Amino acid sequence: MRKPFRARAVGAILGLAVVATACGSGDGATEGDPIRIASFNFNESVIVAEIYAQGLEANGYTVERQLNLGAREVVKPALESGEIDLIPEYTGTVAGFLGVEASADSDVTWEAASAAWEEMGITLLAYSPAQDKNAYVVTGETAEEFSLTTVSDLQPVAGEMIFGGPPECPERPLCLQGLQDVYGLEFAEFVPLDVGGPITVTALEGGEIDVGLLFTTSGVIAANGWVSLEDDMGLNPAENIVPAIRTEVVDAYGDELVALLDSYSEALTTEDLTAMNARADLDQEDPALIAEEWLTTNGFIGT
Amino acid sequence: MTTWESVQEFLSAPTTWSGPDSIWARLGEHIWVSVAAVIIAGLLVLPLAVWLGHIRRGSGIATAVVNIGRAVPSFGILAIAFLVFVQMGAGVGEPWAVLVALIALAAPPMFTNTVAGIQAVEPATVESARGMGLTEREVLTGVELPLSTPLMVEGLRIAFVQVIATATLGALVAWGGLGRFIVDGFARQDMGMLIVGAVLVGLLAIAAELGMSALQRATTPRGTRTAR
Amino acid sequence: MSVVGQTSPLIDWDWIARNVDQIAERTWQHLSLTAISVGIGLVISVGLAIVALRWRWSYTPITWVTGLLYTIPSLALFALLVPVVGLNATNAVIALTSYTLLIIIRNLVAGIDGVPEAVLEAADGMGYTRRARFWRMEVPLALPVIVAGLRIATVTTVGLVTVTAVLGLGGYGYFILRGLNTFFWTQILVGVILSVVLATILDIGFLFVQRLLSPWARSAG
């Protein structure tokens, strides 16, 4: 007599549940566990994460990708709780998140962030010379009309302007919150868009926003003849790209892993970032492909 | 800060209650786009659906339409509509892409339920109406439409609730609506904003569902009401 | 004129060829989220249906609660679960499962209720015990309707899984979200088309099972 439908269903579900839990996160790490690499939800982060991922894979490591995971508010807790292992971070911004003083000096910023995060079980490896800071961008026309070259120049006109940036911007010390605190800027309106991506670009192009948050490495700024306002009061600290990795994973895998990641960090420059971003943002090229080419050009992987 | 504290903080912030980011503004956006979508969808598909139902054809199409509608992810429709509009030169914050996507989502259930509703009217009833000398139009308006109203309103109900739910996703394509609180709350890890937004849109959807159910009951011709 | 998005062709076949692995991964993710949610939903629904069939008065409140869950927009439900379970697969599965309950329970009950009186009487007449009558007569006859419910629940879930992209999951929804982030048509289309294909395959599969389970309807269908 055939088994009742219900029993078979239960059996199948239990089987799937076992599989699901097997794929779950864990505390601790052992060599041989896949390294879970995540990134924030903008192209540059995905590209650098892909560099780590493909580089490690080429050297025999097993990698799991969780790219485009979200903003730092989402990704940082995931790293700290052990749901992911490695992300590309920015020294200055993460120092701010950890509540420590960042400065324009790369070493000082790195040390402060490093010390703070060690306490939570996250290690910052060697930082890269490549930096990417927030850019406050206006169109060429706007810059001309209001004679804008620095962020301070916005002070008399901010009240009539619309600022566009990622949804988390109003709470970010390097975004609206900082612009308010350090520069005293109060914009007429804030429009939540994306993280320096095509939606922000389109909004700026279309005049829906007057000032947009992009990145110093964004290719569109130059391509469109836009003006990235100079951070004359030094709101933005050093923002070197650095691998943030769970200390347990470093301990489990040892020096070889660290050496590999350090080598990528060392070879990465700000010009590289700008060029790669331009390809991803303007030419719509695939971040994975861009990362692969960078690794090849720099001799980290074969053809 | 606990979730509850975050909720209290959000509810006590002035921007929550006035201005373009306020609950009122977002609620208003959400409702007008949902209502507009359903009305426009109705205007587009109801004439055809009523006609098909009347001539007793197209039930196959109706079923296919609903199956296709169910298989297509609303998030996908929204993304495609958004990109199309942007590439045509529309601004990113404008509601047209969302509106178009919502119309596309509202149409299938309204279409199918209307066709089914009219066809569900007993042929015998229709025949006897004809036999009594009613013109085709009178048969339609006097007999078929009133009797199929429950099913039609049900289609309206399904469409309306689905549209309200999908309008929430509009925040993912830089639009407003109540989904804005959810998406921004996620991004900023502001639990208060997140929860309030979620509760509001949940309540709105439930209110729509209950309201439409009541409408369904109210428009069911007395003679056809069966015990539930 | 827009610099962004100008050069994005509708379908970049190279991208697809290069990303077959990712597509396969996301297919697996989409399938497992769907299967686990519908599976757990079925188990819970069976329990609730048995309660509803045994104690008739409970059917209305059960329908109310599951109906309430069904009405809450998916994004809102994910959000409400964040303070409770966090931002992860558990959140997604709990929400997705909730959406299946109303449909499956309704069809379970309707299926059993739909068994003709005559059949029940015949079974009694042949000496079946209540339990035997239930499992040997009512359930098999109700199966087509039950499977129809599963079919609808599954197809609905496939669509909802795409929204879990906001939780970092998404299945094919990941491509939709990513394509949206970068104005990249190919990713959006791949995400949408594969989603529809998956839903359709599952729909047809269930339809087939539905037909198989009702041999008496085959000559009429």
Side-chain angles (χ1 to χ4, degrees):
Chain A
M1 185 188 125
R2 68 197 165 117
K3 261 206 222 162
F5 178 43
R6 187 177 167 197
R8 266 180 289 161
V10 172
I13 291 146
L14 285 178
L16 284 166
V18 167
V19 171
T21 43
C23 302
S25 68
D27 316 300
T30 42
E31 199 162 347
D33 280 350
I35 300 180
R36 294 157 303 172
I37 303 183
S39 85
F40 302 125
N41 50 352
F42 53 92
N43 270 333
E44 181 178 276
S45 188
V46 175
I47 294 172
V48 178
E50 274 287 345
I51 287 177
Y52 296 163
Q54 291 180 43
L56 291 181
E57 277 174 331
N59 283 279
Y61 293 87
T62 323
V63 161
E64 260 173 42
R65 291 168 173 74
Q66 282 195 57
L67 306 180
N68 207 49
L69 192 54
R72 186 172 286 96
E73 286 84 347
V74 171
V75 176
K76 183 170 163 291
L79 184 66
E80 288 163 356
S81 69
E83 282 171 56
I84 52 179
D85 298 313
L86 166 64
I87 59 174
E89 256 292 10
Y90 299 85
T91 50
T93 309
V94 78
F97 262 76
L98 295 168
V100 293
E101 271 295 310
S103 83
D105 183 306
S106 296
D107 278 328
V108 170
T109 309
W110 180 89
E111 271 167 33
S114 210
W117 228 348
E118 273 302 339
E119 291 168 26
M120 296 206 255
I122 311 288
T123 304
L124 286 183
L125 300 180
Y127 64 81
S128 169
Q131 288 197 47
D132 179 15
K133 308 185 185 185
N134 283 353
Y136 315 105
V137 180
V138 294
T139 61
E141 293 81 40
T142 313
E144 241 186 81
E145 191 182 331
F146 297 101
S147 308
L148 305 170
T149 42
T150 67
V151 178
S152 298
D153 291 341
L154 282 172
Q155 276 158 358
V157 289
E160 289 139 50
M161 290 192 164
I162 303 179
F163 191 94
E168 60 271 16
C169 184
E171 324 256 306
R172 290 286 195 96
L174 299 176
C175 200
L176 270 187
Q177 204 186 79
L179 290 174
Q180 242 168 21
D181 296 340
V182 173
Y183 285 97
L185 297 177
E186 297 271 356
F187 288 94
E189 201 188 321
F190 167 69
V191 179
L193 301 165
D194 61 2
V195 193
I199 299 183
T200 306
V201 170
T202 308
L204 195 54
E205 265 169 3
E208 282 173 83
I209 57 176
D210 300 299
V211 186
L213 184 85
L214 296 174
F215 300 122
T216 48
T217 52
S218 297
V220 283
I221 303 178
N224 284 1
W226 288 347
V227 176
S228 172
L229 297 172
E230 194 195 314
D231 181 17
D232 52 310
M233 289 177 82
L235 172 63
N236 284 294
E239 295 281 20
N240 299 81
I241 293 195
V242 63
I245 184 169
R246 289 201 305 123
T247 313
E248 279 160 349
V249 175
V250 175
D251 293 339
Y253 281 91
D255 294 333
E256 201 192 288
L257 176 65
V258 172
L260 269 176
L261 291 171
D262 283 349
S263 65
Y264 307 142
S265 298
E266 206 186 354
L268 193 61
T269 66
T270 308
E271 291 74 38
D272 285 343
L273 287 182
T274 312
M276 292 195 288
N277 283 340
R279 288 172 64 185
D281 295 337
L282 299 175
D283 301 332
Q284 306 273 285
E285 280 183 56
D286 181 10
L289 193 67
I290 298 174
E292 190 187 332
E293 281 186 34
W294 184 90
L295 285 165
T296 313
T297 311
N298 287 278
F300 292 115
I301 57 182
T303 9
Chain B
M1 188 186 315
T2 66
T3 306
W4 180 233
E5 284 166 357
S6 183
V7 170
Q8 287 176 303
E9 186 181 319
F10 179 67
L11 289 176
S12 54
T15 47
T16 304
W17 299 103
S18 71
D21 291 327
S22 68
I23 289 180
W24 306 120
R26 298 299 184 205
L27 186 63
E29 283 170 348
H30 207 117
I31 293 179
W32 92 251
V33 137
S34 303
V35 170
V38 168
I39 291 178
I40 297 176
L43 290 173
L44 286 175
V45 302
L46 286 182
L48 177 64
V50 165
W51 180 67
L52 280 177
H54 179 68
I55 63 172
R56 296 258 169 341
R57 283 260 199 300
S59 57
I61 300 178
T63 329
V65 159
V66 116
N67 279 337
I68 294 174
R70 212 183 282 132
V72 179
S74 24
F75 180 32
I77 299 287
L78 207 48
I80 291 177
F82 178 67
L83 215 51
V84 166
F85 271 81
V86 165
Q87 303 213 307
M88 286 193 324
V92 290
E94 290 171 23
W96 313 118
V98 177
L99 185 60
V100 165
L102 292 180
I103 293 173
L105 286 166
M110 289 172 72
F111 178 76
T112 303
N113 271 51
T114 303
V115 172
I118 298 192
Q119 291 187 355
V121 176
E122 295 273 334
T125 314
V126 176
E127 279 313 305
S128 54
R130 287 198 183 109
M132 289 199 290
L134 294 173
T135 65
E136 280 308 295
R137 174 162 302 170
E138 285 166 348
V139 168
L140 185 60
T141 55
V143 177
E144 288 181 311
L145 280 179
L147 286 178
S148 61
T149 308
L151 268 175
M152 286 176 66
V153 175
E154 177 167 346
L156 188 64
R157 185 190 103 226
I158 295 172
F160 195 36
V161 174
Q162 170 144 344
V163 156
I164 288 180
T166 308
T168 318
L169 298 178
L172 294 173
V173 291
W175 182 64
L178 291 172
R180 192 79 254 154
F181 294 129
I182 298 178
V183 169
D184 289 353
F186 260 127
R188 307 188 207 185
Q189 290 281 285
D190 181 344
M191 286 297 118
M193 190 187 285
L194 186 69
I195 298 295
V196 171
V199 168
L200 281 176
V201 77
L203 288 178
L204 180 64
I206 292 171
E209 169 81 34
L210 290 177
M212 297 303 293
S213 294
L215 183 66
Q216 217 178 314
R217 278 194 303 275
T219 55
T220 305
R222 208 145 290 186
T224 62
R225 285 189 199 172
T226 50
R228 279 290 203 92
Chain C
M1 255 311 287
S2 176
V3 185
V4 172
Q6 245 182 341
T7 51
S8 170
L10 269 187
I11 303 263
D12 180 350
W13 298 101
D14 280 333
W15 182 90
I16 296 179
R18 279 194 315 267
N19 286 281
V20 172
D21 286 340
Q22 241 211 77
I23 295 177
E25 243 182 80
R26 294 294 168 181
T27 305
W28 174 242
Q29 185 181 57
H30 208 120
L31 264 174
S32 23
L33 281 173
T34 306
I36 294 177
S37 305
V38 174
I40 299 180
L42 177 63
V43 171
I44 298 178
S45 299
V46 165
L48 288 174
I50 291 183
V51 167
L53 287 168
R54 173 77 180 74
W55 292 281
R56 283 287 164 168
W57 56 263
S58 67
Y59 186 54
T60 308
I62 288 178
T63 325
W64 271 37
V65 173
T66 54
L68 200 99
L69 286 173
Y70 185 76
T71 307
I72 299 179
S74 54
L75 200 57
L77 197 48
F78 295 142
L80 288 170
L81 288 170
V82 168
V84 181
V85 289
L87 217 80
N88 48 36
T90 309
N91 184 325
V93 169
I94 292 179
L96 293 170
T97 305
S98 312
Y99 290 114
T100 64
L101 297 179
L102 177 67
I103 304 169
I104 302 181
I105 292 179
R106 264 222 293 247
N107 276 51
L108 281 169
V109 172
I112 297 285
D113 278 352
V115 175
E117 274 296 315
V119 172
L120 299 178
E121 280 164 15
D124 287 339
M126 288 198 282
Y128 277 79
T129 61
R130 279 275 316 260
R131 171 161 298 177
R133 188 188 81 180
F134 185 72
W135 290 107
R136 304 267 213 93
M137 283 288 170
E138 294 178 83
V139 168
L141 284 175
L143 274 181
V145 176
I146 296 175
V147 171
L150 279 177
R151 189 183 112 227
I152 297 175
T154 303
V155 173
T156 312
T157 306
V158 169
L160 288 172
V161 167
T162 57
V163 184
T164 64
V166 303
L167 297 172
L169 303 160
Y172 295 136
Y174 171 81
F175 296 126
I176 299 178
L177 188 58
R178 198 59 201 128
L180 205 50
N181 284 162
T182 51
F183 281 20
F184 188 30
W185 272 111
T186 303
Q187 266 181 320
I188 295 183
L189 289 176
V190 164
V192 174
I193 293 175
L194 286 180
S195 213
V196 173
V197 166
L198 182 63
T200 309
I201 291 178
L202 291 172
D203 196 30
I204 294 178
F206 273 106
L207 254 176
F208 186 60
V209 172
Q210 226 177 297
R211 293 272 163 83
L212 269 182
L213 289 170
S214 39
W216 52 89
R218 258 185 256 162
S219 44

